[in-house]
């Protein structure tokens, strides 16, 4: 059972991470469908799946990351600023992320409600931002959106 669940969870993570849907929300749904105990797999297992995705992205986009580290542009500063809200809210809400936020009801509502936000953003949002046109305020808004995405079901 653990091997089958792990394979399914890995496939779900791999397929959903790059789509505008919540990979974590879907992983929690898979855990519930398989009847997997939160204590057995839970947050640590989810984090290890995300770590695998991180390394896959790092390997695939390594040239782009080198450009970010080019100190001639200030993209690395904007990325740092955009990361701060996630760190702050992640630390502040750590207990909720591990417990209350893993509720199927919350995940279902989040998936449904925020699908409308994603649809609206896709239809109405500007799609012509470049590294140079992203402001510090844009970085903070992106970071705040990522912090909100700590709630599974919000992507």
């Amino acid at each position: 059972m653990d091997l089958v669940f792990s394979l399914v969870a890995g496939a779900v993570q791999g397929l959903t991470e790059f789509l505008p849907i919540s990979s974590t929300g879907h992983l929690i749904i898979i855990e519930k469908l398989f009847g997997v105990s939160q204590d057995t797999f839970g947050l640590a297992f989810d984090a290890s799946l995300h770590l695998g995705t991180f390394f896959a992205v790092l390997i695939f986009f390594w040239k782009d990351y080198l450009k970010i580290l080019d100190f001639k542009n200030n993209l690395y500063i904007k990325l740092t600023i955009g990361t701060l809200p996630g760190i702050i809210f992640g630390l502040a809400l750590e207990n909720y992320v591990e417990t209350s936020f893993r509720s199927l009801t919350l995940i279902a509502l989040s998936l449904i409600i925020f699908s409308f936000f994603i649809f609206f953003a896709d239809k109405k949002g500007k799609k012509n931002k470049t590294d140079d046109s992203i402001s510090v305020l844009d970085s903070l808004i992106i970071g705040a959106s990522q912090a909100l995405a700590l709630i599974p079901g919000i992507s």
Side-chain angles (χ1 to χ4, degrees), residues 12 17 24 29-30 36 39 43 48 61 64 71 79 108 111 117-118 123 127 135 144:
V12 167
E17 185 63 30
T24 302
I29 292 169
I30 294 297
V36 172
D39 298 329
L43 197 57
S48 66
F61 290 108
D64 295 311
F71 292 105
L79 286 171
L111 285 168
F117 285 95
I118 291 171
K123 294 296 178 198
K127 298 175 184 156
S135 69

Side-chain angles (χ1 to χ4, degrees), residues 18-147:
F18 300 102
L19 299 174
I21 57 175
S22 173
S23 60
T24 302
H26 285 84
L27 286 175
I28 294 168
I29 292 169
I30 294 297
E31 287 174 8
K32 303 292 185 187
L33 287 174
F34 272 78
V36 172
S37 164
Q38 178 68 34
D39 298 329
T40 305
F41 283 93
L43 197 57
F45 182 71
D46 292 355
S48 66
L49 289 172
H50 283 84
L51 188 61
T53 305
F54 167 75
F55 284 119
V57 169
L58 188 64
I59 290 167
F60 188 81
F61 290 108
W62 69 273
K63 288 181 183 178
D64 295 311
Y65 288 118
L66 289 178
K67 289 178 189 174
I68 291 170
L69 294 175
D70 179 7
F71 292 105
K72 294 175 190 166
N73 69 38
N74 61 0
L75 185 58
Y76 67 94
I77 294 171
K78 294 171 187 174
L79 286 171
T80 303
I81 291 169
T83 302
L84 292 176
I87 292 171
I88 293 166
F89 285 102
L91 292 172
L93 300 173
E94 182 178 5
N95 291 334
Y96 294 105
V97 170
E98 293 176 354
T99 56
S100 303
F101 288 178
R102 297 179 75 81
S103 153
L104 277 182
T105 303
L106 177 64
I107 293 167
L109 287 172
S110 298
L111 285 168
I112 293 166
I113 292 168
F114 282 89
S115 68
F116 293 105
F117 285 95
I118 291 171
F119 178 78
F120 179 76
D122 185 52
K123 294 296 178 198
K124 301 294 182 186
K126 294 180 181 176
K127 298 175 184 156
N128 56 359
K129 290 274 185 179
T130 63
D131 298 350
D132 297 331
S133 68
I134 297 173
S135 69
V136 171
L137 180 60
D138 291 334
S139 299
L140 283 172
I141 292 169
I142 292 167
S145 299
Q146 283 300 109

